[in-house]
Amino acid sequence: MLEMTREEFEELVAEALDRIPPELTRLMDNVAVFVEDEPPADDPELLGLYEGTPLTDRGEWYAGVLPDRITIYRGPTLRMCETREDVVAETEVTVVHEIAHHFGIDDERLHALGYG
């Protein structure tokens, strides 16, 4: 398994977020991004997870709710990648994938776009 500290991995996630075009990040609303070491035990290969209400599903009722949560998982990413460059690329794909869920884009469409 490739070695990388949590701080180094968090920096890669931050860099991936910085590469999201500003016109999209301005549209993001009430969402927080976290890094965790491992995903839930029932899905040990999960690289990222979006939990919340996509922007496309929010209505008048959407007020006073906790932020949506995007979690990027360090362990499975490091286990599947062979080089630091692989980790950088996979982290960027995962961050984009989870942000796309915030915008209401489903897995099928993301896979078709190469963000599967």
Side-chain angles (χ1 to χ4, degrees), residues 3-108:
E3 293 294 322
M4 182 178 288
T5 67
R6 175 136 180 192
E7 292 76 21
E8 289 172 307
F9 189 78
E10 287 174 348
E11 183 61 31
L12 292 182
V13 171
E15 289 170 5
L17 288 167
D18 288 344
R19 286 190 287 278
I20 303 294
E23 54 271 16
L24 289 179
T25 57
R26 280 193 294 273
L27 297 173
M28 293 173 65
D29 182 48
N30 199 31
V31 61
V33 179
F34 299 90
V35 170
E36 296 289 339
D37 288 329
E38 294 296 334
D42 63 338
D43 199 354
E45 296 180 12
L46 187 66
L47 302 180
L49 180 65
Y50 169 76
E51 299 171 286
T53 304
L55 295 174
T56 53
D57 293 345
R58 295 179 184 179
E60 293 178 16
W61 60 269
Y62 189 85
V65 299
L66 292 174
D68 291 2
R69 181 181 177 102
I70 291 174
T71 306
I72 309 299
Y73 297 106
R74 178 176 156 265
T77 304
L78 295 180
R79 285 190 291 276
M80 75 175 287
C81 294
E82 294 183 15
T83 67
R84 180 178 173 79
E85 292 76 23
D86 292 343
V87 175
V88 170
E90 191 58 53
T91 301
E92 188 164 329
V93 167
T94 303
V95 167
V96 169
H97 182 106
E98 301 310 329
I99 288 173
H101 286 319
H102 176 67
F103 283 101
I105 302 171
D106 64 20
D107 280 329
E108 182 178 329

